[in-house]
Amino acid sequence: MAAFIQCVYFISAVMPYIVGQLIVNARNKGGETIVEKIVANTSADTVTLEFLGSDGSFVTQFIDFKSEVQIFRIYILGEEELGQTQPQVICFITRFMRSDFITADAMSKLRQKNPTAIRTPEEEREMNIYTLDLTINLDKAYMISPYVFNICSEAKDGIYGQESDLRAISKSLDKDFITLISAAAELIPNKYGKCRDTQDLSKPCTCQVHTCIGWYPCGLKYCRGTDSTGKEVNYRCGIKTCKRCLAFVYVASPKMKCLWDF
């Protein structure tokens, strides 16, 4: 479990210039309280959201605003009765939509009056389903975002992406898509059945991982008022909060790495 425990200290290890942090208590549908840690780094233009799920999984959502990339890293506890004494680490690299999260600068300015309060999101957004058809080469992943290597180093053989996302990311980075994909990614053949229907634990199969971000600042609120001259103006007067669940569909090789998908 050393690797799992170590991941809790990820932020302080690779993000020394922290300028804003929130601790949020979000209650899930089962009535359990999930504690989220959200950190903004304005100098790097990044936001990190982390939490320990009720199933024991440790989830990191890392947003790189400059590259328009977000990285989801998930530590999944192993099945000890099958000899899996260490957690499995998986990384999913997706395109980041700027309309889905407030900026790192806005995040850094949020102030927390009551860190023990139970937070309820104002809006539950539609589930995002990612079908990951690429494996990402860790050693070349810096071409997508300079943060992938540090975040996903423990998931060397389990880093996944979408071709459609990589096309959009390469455009935002002003990079040639063919060069990027040939260097940093490999297409996964779409020929495998679902893991729940695959009996042989040594065979590849299509796996699913689900997680929910129970509370996050998804937008800014603006109010109307007047300035010192009496002119009517709009001003920022708060944040909008959302919840979103995500499903990641990818090829696990072998099924032994997808024992939860029954």
Side-chain angles (χ1 to χ4, degrees), residues 27 32 37 52 63 68 118 125 130-132 140 150 154 168 174 177 183 194 226 240 244:
R27 184 160 289 164
E32 299 164 305
K37 182 178 182 180
L52 183 64
I63 301 172
E68 296 186 2
I118 303 299
R125 294 194 165 180
Y130 298 97
T131 301
L132 293 308
K140 298 292 184 179
N150 280 338
E154 294 178 276
D174 197 25
F177 169 72
K194 296 179 179 179
T226 56
K240 178 181 179 181
R244 189 190 291 278

Side-chain angles (χ1 to χ4, degrees), residues 180-240:
L180 181 63
I181 195 171
S182 61
E186 182 178 344
L187 190 65
I188 304 172
N190 183 21
K191 62 179 182 179
Y192 300 107
K194 296 179 179 179
C195 285
R196 65 186 64 178
D197 300 325
T198 303
Q199 301 300 318
D200 191 338
L201 295 181
S202 66
K203 297 292 185 181
C205 54
T206 302
C207 185
Q208 290 193 39
V209 171
H210 295 84
T211 191
C212 290
I213 311 299
W215 187 101
Y216 68 96
C218 53
L220 299 175
K221 290 182 179 179
Y222 290 89
C223 298
R224 296 186 69 83
T226 56
D227 62 15
S228 58
T229 65
K231 181 181 178 182
E232 194 172 78
V233 294
N234 291 328
Y235 63 95
R236 194 173 75 188
C237 56
I239 60 169
K240 178 181 179 181

Side-chain angles (χ1 to χ4, degrees), residues 5-22:
I5 295 172
Q6 184 180 9
C7 78
V8 177
Y9 302 102
F10 166 74
I11 295 176
S12 59
V14 302
M15 304 288 286
Y17 305 108
I18 292 172
V19 295
Q21 175 178 304
L22 291 182

Side-chain angles (χ1 to χ4, degrees), residues 43-58:
S43 61
D45 202 9
T46 63
V47 168
T48 305
L49 185 155
E50 296 189 309
F51 63 92
L52 183 64
S54 57
D55 60 355
S57 61
F58 188 82

